[in-house]
Amino acid sequence: MKMQSKYYIRKKFLNLTLVLFAMLAITAFANSEESEEPLKINHGNLVFEVNANLHTRLTSTLPGTKPIMLDYQPSEKIIIDNMMITDFALKDVKEKALKGELSGREWMVKGVFTKNGLKLEKYLKLIAYDDFPGLITREVQYVNASNEDVFIEKWINENYKILPQGDEPPFWAFQGSSSSSRSDWIKPLEPGYYQKNYMGMNDTDYGGGIPVTSVWRPDINIAVGHLSLTPELINLPTEMFRDSKVLVGISKEFGERTVFKTKDTISTLETFVSITKGDYYDNLARYSKLMQAKGIEIVEPEAAAFEPIWCAWGYGREFTMEEVVNTLPKVKDLGIDWAVLDDGFQVAEGDWRPASNRFPEGEDAIKKLVEKIHGYGLKAKIWWTPLAADPGSQALEQHPNMKIIQENGAPQFITWWNAYYLSPTKEETIEHTKNIVDLFLNEWDFDGLKMDGQHMNAVAPDYSLQNPLEAPQGLPDFFHMIYAEARQIKPNAVIENCPCGTCMSYYNMASMNQAVSSDPLSSWQIRHKGKTYKALVPKTAYYGDHVELSDNGNDFASSFGIGAVLGTKFTVPSSRENEESSKFLLTEEKEKIWRKWFSLYNEKMLSKEEYLGSLYDIGYDKPEAHVIKKNGSLYYAFYADSWNGKIELRGLAENTKYVLINYFDNIELGRIQSSNPFVDVSFKKFLLIEAQPSGDF
């Protein structure tokens, strides 16, 4: 049964503050016949032109910007009967004002294509929203004005080939898709590069993501994406050619021999192009603000989500209750506030009763463990993979129809868990899930949920439903249902969404109050994932995951400097042989390091403060830098294998003097004025600097 309301989409738009109409300077023509003059829209720093063939040219008025493209390009394409159609003769342009919460200007451009009996009408709707200068949206309608049916294969929007300018590397790119390789979300591009960036399932367990591609040179950033309020099964391909030009776009592929009937209309999604300066941060932040203005509602932050975390995963799935309980005193002693019971407590995925070999007293043992955790003044979180159920599990025995069914009639399998996908919009799945939330938070008294698994990020179409796409498009509602149920039981519950290694679906971000770097493969991933989350959901707690997953297993600095919550899965000596847990043993030497970082974290609490993501380009600026603002002071984090030379402290207030402190080593580095924000430093791996305003020079 379909869930009736889009929980994560607001019923009313936000009240947006209108900007002066002077920000939107427009030249246009209307009701023209075969006009050769272009439609020209100046919106913020973006100049957007459409010519008589309905091709597009982008330029920018940003200072120092070099050409983006040499000439007009066919930014919309459609493939009909194996023919790619790009040229439509301009027939008409109409312009009108948009009023209301999302005010702006709208243009409807009509074009026609005729060839060998095929006639298509194209209606290109362009919108420039007042509150989003530098961003233009488009939606295209194609009408089959022929007298016969045809076959449609694909439509393409926002298709731009962008010029390099001799930089090295020529471009960096943020790509929001997920894959089983768990690759970096941002990377430098090189000739021969191609990535499809499909937003559906890319492997049995992996799919979904952020429907935005952002490519940049040192002088300009160009982002494209779509603005649907539900996940869509589309591509955002990125390609670099031998001449280092980069091609981006958005495409929808249709099934084999899809009929486009005579007189019917096909509509694309509302897509956008956005231009900023710097790396991907500003364009992602702009995208998220526009999505929220259109109706996506991000939940409010939770104070407890910023508190540091210890997880029992260091002991692995074969942990004992004794090991967990014996670690709690050290957890408390180090200033950590959360203890997480991880995978292994359960009989099976989908059968969430306590495993008898670890908890012979059954549920009473779990309750006693939670009491022990609370007895140390700690909060308790429990691991859970809500969309997986093992064959033969209690869940599937009681509700066999919960499974997602593929087009071939077989259940959708999750290879990592050897389990089946549950269909998120079926009433049986919803009721089963509500019961588990009640079990964990009400009956067992946990304070939060660690929802885990790369398969949670997206689901495949469910062909047991009347509309198979109801499953992937309804997944965000499923997570909001969990969030709402949990917060009703415990108003301060922390809801962590950990889609292991995937680029988390933007739509799922709306219903969690703790993001996580989610099994990072490097410290670099911890940092750039943090920058991504802080652009999209800036007030939400971002957890850097277990420090043991960072470079050398001890890089607290990467989490600390990006403004992430610190976490660890250290172990203490155990009465049993456990090769896995011995790797994470908290030795006397390690304890000194752990104690210092957790003490510094609790003292500064930078994870709650404002992250200034626009100040440094994470790709081109060296050394890599991040900045957090707190109470007038700026906290800089610099990263490099080794650095000896000048660094620039950006973002200082005008006409202000500062004292600089290496606050990790408690060393004063000198004093500077904002008019000359440079200082010579030498460091390896990281340098943390606090710039304190000082009127006394």
Side-chain angles (χ1 to χ4, degrees):
M1 182 180 294
K2 184 179 180 180
M3 297 182 71
Q4 295 301 310
S5 62
K6 296 294 181 191
Y7 288 108
Y8 72 108
I9 300 175
R10 277 199 314 276
K11 304 306 179 188
K12 294 183 179 180
F13 287 144
L14 289 172
N15 288 323
L16 299 175
T17 303
L18 297 180
V19 296
L20 293 175
F21 189 74
M23 296 183 68
L24 182 59
I26 303 142
T27 38
F29 61 99
N31 301 319
S32 60
E33 286 292 328
E34 305 286 356
S35 173
E36 294 298 326
E37 295 297 319
L39 165 66
K40 186 173 184 179
I41 305 170
N42 293 302
H43 190 38
N45 292 309
L46 172 59
V47 182
F48 186 101
E49 298 173 89
V50 180
N51 72 4
N53 291 319
L54 272 60
H55 292 187
T56 303
R57 180 168 63 189
L58 305 179
T59 53
S60 177
T61 59
L62 281 165
T65 303
K66 299 174 183 178
I68 298 170
M69 55 182 65
L70 292 176
D71 204 347
Y72 289 90
Q73 297 180 3
S75 55
E76 305 93 40
K77 304 175 182 180
I78 187 168
I79 301 178
I80 300 286
D81 288 348
N82 296 316
M83 176 172 54
M84 179 174 286
I85 302 169
T86 61
D87 294 5
F88 289 79
L90 178 66
K91 295 297 181 182
D92 185 56
V93 177
K94 289 184 172 63
E95 176 188 350
K96 68 177 183 180
L98 295 179
K99 301 188 183 299
E101 302 291 349
L102 268 173
S103 63
R105 305 292 294 180
E106 176 187 294
W107 296 264
M108 183 65 76
V109 184
K110 179 183 177 181
V112 176
F113 170 86
T114 56
K115 184 176 181 180
N116 298 332
L118 174 61
K119 182 178 181 180
L120 293 180
E121 294 176 353
K122 174 179 176 179
Y123 296 89
L124 171 63
K125 181 168 71 173
L126 301 169
I127 297 177
Y129 294 112
D130 289 340
D131 283 344
F132 296 91
L135 182 149
I136 302 283
T137 78
R138 84 183 69 206
E139 184 177 351
V140 186
Q141 289 188 334
Y142 295 99
V143 179
N144 181 4
S146 310
N147 294 322
E148 296 182 358
D149 298 345
V150 293
F151 295 107
I152 181 169
E153 298 167 44
K154 180 190 287 190
W155 59 253
I156 304 171
N157 280 5
E158 312 298 350
N159 202 222
Y160 306 109
K161 186 179 285 188
I162 304 165
L163 294 170
Q165 294 298 334
D167 307 297
E168 188 57 42
F171 289 92
W172 279 78
F174 166 85
Q175 298 163 96
S177 63
S178 296
S179 69
S180 55
S181 66
R182 300 187 177 188
S183 61
D184 294 342
W185 299 359
I186 71 165
K187 60 185 72 171
L189 303 184
E190 58 185 26
Y193 178 88
Y194 175 80
Q195 191 163 300
K196 185 175 182 179
N197 294 317
Y198 179 51
M199 288 291 119
M201 298 303 296
N202 294 301
D203 208 334
T204 52
D205 299 11
Y206 292 83
I210 302 161
V212 176
T213 296
S214 179
V215 297
W216 71 97
R217 313 177 311 216
D219 62 321
I220 199 165
N221 186 304
I222 297 142
V224 299
H226 77 73
L227 298 169
S228 173
L229 295 180
T230 56
E232 302 287 348
L233 306 185
I234 52 90
N235 307 309
L236 291 98
T238 307
E239 183 173 7
M240 178 177 275
F241 301 97
R242 290 181 180 178
D243 59 5
S244 296
K245 292 175 183 172
V246 164
L247 184 69
V248 296
I250 302 166
S251 66
K252 166 71 175 179
E253 296 178 357
F254 291 83
E256 186 176 356
R257 297 188 70 77
T258 298
V259 177
F260 185 8
K261 292 185 177 181
T262 179
K263 312 311 177 191
D264 273 3
T265 300
I266 287 177
S267 298
T268 73
L269 301 175
E270 183 182 15
T271 61
F272 71 88
V273 61
S274 178
I275 285 183
T276 63
K277 201 172 183 68
D279 65 25
Y280 68 116
Y281 179 86
D282 281 346
N283 264 327
L284 279 195
R286 180 182 288 172
Y287 158 76
S288 184
K289 289 173 184 175
L290 180 52
M291 289 290 281
Q292 291 175 66
K294 283 179 168 289
I296 296 288
E297 185 172 16
I298 305 294
V299 301
E300 291 299 312
E302 169 55 50
F306 295 90
E307 296 171 346
I309 301 164
W310 172 79
C311 184
W313 187 235
Y315 293 108
R317 287 190 179 92
E318 303 302 318
F319 70 88
T320 68
M321 184 166 172
E322 177 188 28
E323 287 172 328
V324 177
V325 171
N326 287 347
T327 312
L328 297 179
K330 187 58 67 178
V331 172
K332 179 67 175 179
D333 180 50
L334 289 174
I336 299 171
D337 297 294
W338 282 90
V340 182
L341 181 64
D342 213 283
D343 185 9
F345 74 89
Q346 74 280 8
V347 173
E349 281 73 54
D351 190 345
W352 300 104
R353 294 170 296 167
S356 59
N357 59 334
R358 265 176 288 288
F359 298 96
E361 299 176 47
E363 291 190 32
D364 286 342
I366 292 274
K367 293 175 183 178
K368 288 179 182 178
L369 175 59
V370 175
E371 288 177 3
K372 286 275 190 182
I373 293 171
H374 289 161
Y376 281 98
L378 305 173
K379 299 180 181 69
K381 191 189 290 184
I382 188 167
W383 177 91
W384 181 33
T385 180
L387 280 170
D390 295 346
S393 63
Q394 186 183 67
L396 291 182
E397 287 179 355
Q398 294 175 353
H399 306 288
N401 293 328
M402 289 195 296
K403 298 189 292 289
I404 286 179
I405 302 300
Q406 302 175 78
E407 193 170 9
N408 63 7
Q412 181 76 23
F413 201 64
I414 307 169
T415 56
W416 181 263
W417 305 109
N418 294 319
Y420 292 125
Y421 270 96
L422 302 186
S423 190
T425 64
K426 288 179 177 175
E427 195 61 47
E428 301 99 314
T429 306
I430 294 164
E431 288 306 310
H432 163 74
T433 304
K434 287 180 178 179
N435 290 337
I436 300 305
V437 173
D438 185 75
L439 173 70
F440 289 161
L441 301 187
N442 185 25
E443 295 185 36
W444 292 357
D445 202 26
F446 281 91
D447 306 293
L449 303 172
K450 176 186 177 179
M451 299 187 297
D452 191 51
Q454 67 278 351
H455 66 286
M456 296 194 308
N457 210 48
V459 300
D462 182 0
Y463 287 87
S464 67
L465 299 172
Q466 186 174 1
N467 175 12
L469 291 180
E470 181 185 309
Q473 292 186 331
L475 182 60
D477 279 341
F478 175 78
F479 284 114
H480 195 87
M481 176 272 294
I482 291 175
Y483 180 85
E485 288 290 314
R487 299 279 286 188
Q488 184 176 11
I489 296 168
K490 289 205 169 182
N492 300 111
V494 170
I495 312 301
E496 175 189 347
N497 192 316
C498 181
C500 308
T502 64
C503 187
M504 186 177 179
S505 168
Y506 174 74
Y507 303 93
N508 298 344
M509 293 180 195
S511 302
M512 53 94 190
N513 53 27
Q514 189 175 75
V516 58
S517 65
S518 189
D519 293 342
L521 301 180
S522 65
S523 292
W524 163 246
Q525 286 197 351
I526 293 172
R527 298 194 298 271
H528 77 251
K529 287 181 179 185
K531 185 161 191 169
T532 303
Y533 281 117
K534 287 177 182 292
L536 295 167
V537 283
K539 294 182 180 179
T540 297
Y542 169 63
Y543 168 33
D545 215 329
H546 316 133
V547 70
E548 292 80 3
L549 294 170
S550 67
D551 293 351
N552 302 313
N554 63 1
D555 183 15
F556 284 102
S558 280
S559 286
F560 193 100
I562 193 71
V565 178
L566 297 192
T568 177
K569 58 178 179 179
F570 72 80
T571 61
V572 297
S574 173
S575 59
R576 70 183 179 107
E577 292 291 330
N578 187 333
E579 184 178 344
E580 178 72 11
S581 68
S582 65
K583 295 187 295 186
F584 309 118
L585 194 65
L586 190 68
T587 62
E588 185 175 343
E589 181 181 1
K590 285 173 65 175
E591 183 177 339
K592 292 178 182 177
I593 299 170
W594 265 237
R595 187 178 299 280
K596 180 172 183 176
W597 279 108
F598 282 105
S599 175
L600 192 63
Y601 176 83
N602 287 323
E603 175 193 341
K604 300 292 187 182
M605 286 305 293
L606 297 184
S607 58
K608 289 185 175 182
E609 304 301 328
E610 182 184 5
Y611 175 78
L612 305 181
S614 303
L615 293 179
Y616 294 92
D617 184 325
I618 197 172
Y620 288 106
D621 283 333
K622 303 299 178 188
E624 178 189 339
H626 303 269
V627 190
I628 295 170
K629 184 177 183 179
K630 179 181 180 180
N631 297 333
S633 291
L634 294 178
Y635 290 82
Y636 295 86
F638 295 96
Y639 301 96
D641 288 339
S642 180
W643 183 267
N644 186 9
K646 282 189 184 300
I647 56 174
E648 181 182 4
L649 302 181
R650 300 175 186 170
L652 300 175
E654 290 185 8
N655 304 316
T656 304
K657 301 172 184 177
Y658 289 86
V659 57
L660 306 182
I661 300 169
N662 171 347
Y663 62 92
F664 181 76
D665 295 314
N666 197 26
I667 298 172
E668 184 172 325
L669 300 177
R671 299 179 180 232
I672 63 170
Q673 298 188 62
S674 56
S675 58
N676 185 26
F678 297 92
V679 60
D680 282 307
V681 296
S682 177
F683 68 89
K684 291 185 177 180
K685 299 301 182 185
F686 72 92
L687 175 64
L688 302 180
I689 297 177
E690 179 181 358
Q692 298 177 348
S694 172
D696 181 17
F697 207 80

